[in-house]
Amino acid sequence: MTAYVIADIKMKDPKWVPAYAASVHDLVHKHGGKYLSRSGNVKTLEGKPLDTTLIALMAFPSEAAARAFTDDPAYTPFVSARQGGSDSRFQLIDDTDLAGTIPYLPKG
């Protein structure tokens, strides 16, 4: 079952970004993932805007693959740099439909 990681980041000190952006893509790919978006072009369509600088959306073939990426020891220095230079939240969701009314999604 496909799993998605949503990274919501508020930049405090952007010094970490060049090395992170240049290297983490390879770690995502190593675990079967791919970026669907990594954008600072964030617009709120409804509700109170979040204090967000960047949102990244990654797809992985499974929750285990997503967790293997976030737990990869090679990712550790990038996590530390990101956490030191931002307020960030990573969320994991699957591709289910909680209501079970969308026919092309598994019922969640």
Side-chain angles (χ1 to χ4, degrees):
M1 175 178 300
T2 303
Y4 300 94
V5 174
I6 303 167
D8 179 353
I9 298 168
K10 177 186 175 189
M11 217 72 75
K12 294 188 300 188
D13 180 355
K15 291 179 195 167
W16 62 274
V17 174
Y20 192 99
S23 302
V24 172
H25 175 266
D26 291 337
L27 291 171
V28 169
H29 183 73
K30 172 184 170 184
H31 296 286
K34 67 179 182 177
Y35 278 91
L36 302 179
S37 180
R38 183 171 68 184
S39 179
N41 188 15
V42 179
K43 296 178 176 85
T44 300
L45 297 177
E46 183 177 327
K48 180 180 177 185
L50 298 175
D51 196 9
T52 298
T53 310
L54 169 73
I55 294 178
L57 175 60
M58 295 161 269
F60 290 87
S62 65
E63 179 178 341
R67 290 185 184 274
F69 157 64
T70 59
D71 295 341
D72 190 320
Y75 185 46
T76 302
F78 298 106
V79 172
S80 295
R82 176 180 43 78
Q83 289 175 342
S86 73
D87 293 326
S88 54
R89 175 178 54 212
F90 276 41
Q91 298 181 69
L92 179 68
I93 62 171
D94 61 21
D95 64 351
T96 60
D97 172 29
L98 184 62
T101 59
I102 300 174
Y104 54 87
L105 292 177
K107 183 174 174 152

